[in-house]
Amino acid sequence: MTYKLTTYKTIRGKKEILETQKKKSTEAIIYQDDKPAFFVDCFDLQTESNIIMNSLVLCQQRSLKAVIKEIAAKNNVNLSIKETPLFVLKSSYELKEMELPPLPENWLN
């Protein structure tokens, strides 16, 4: 899948964030230890872990961030969703082809 690697220049320096090309509230790139590791799409009902995420996020009306935070705490892993900095001096991007797996199912149970 093709993602957008955006480089933001801020007061604190450069920040690179891997993003989906079209931002959707039901899709996210999950970082593990500050590196892109997983891709979640709550409407992808072909993948078992995405079906479970659909139930956790959409059916229970919770935010994707809250669910990821809970999964990280329960499994003792460092998971996060990166956001665009509030104050950006300049940004640039490049398209990057990567294959990110869905979250492991055993983390979601």
Side-chain angles (χ1 to χ4, degrees):
M1 185 170 182
T2 304
Y3 298 100
K4 186 168 82 170
L5 181 62
T6 308
T7 303
Y8 295 99
K9 292 180 184 174
T10 68
I11 294 173
R12 295 184 180 177
K14 287 184 181 180
K15 185 174 185 178
E16 287 189 342
I17 300 177
L18 191 68
E19 304 169 309
T20 56
Q21 288 186 331
K22 295 179 182 175
K23 291 187 180 185
K24 296 180 184 175
S25 61
T26 58
E27 293 181 346
I29 295 172
I30 311 300
Y31 283 71
Q32 183 176 10
D33 300 323
D34 290 326
K35 295 178 183 144
F38 307 104
F39 176 68
V40 172
D41 180 359
C42 292
F43 287 137
D44 174 19
L45 302 179
Q46 310 269 327
T47 309
E48 187 64 31
S49 67
N50 285 335
I51 293 171
I52 296 168
M53 285 299 291
N54 179 303
S55 171
L56 293 172
V57 174
L58 300 176
C59 295
Q60 295 180 14
Q61 295 183 347
R62 298 169 61 196
S63 73
L64 196 53
K65 273 190 160 182
V67 171
I68 293 299
K69 188 175 181 180
E70 183 181 301
I71 292 167
K74 189 167 78 170
N75 294 289
N76 199 26
V77 290
N78 183 16
L79 298 178
S80 62
I81 298 174
K82 301 279 183 180
E83 292 185 341
T84 304
L86 292 176
F87 185 72
V88 176
L89 300 174
K90 190 176 181 182
S91 68
S92 61
Y93 74 92
E94 64 180 87
L95 298 179
K96 189 170 185 178
E97 188 68 32
M98 290 180 79
E99 284 302 318
L100 296 174
L103 284 168
E105 288 178 43
N106 59 336
W107 287 2
L108 303 175
N109 296 326

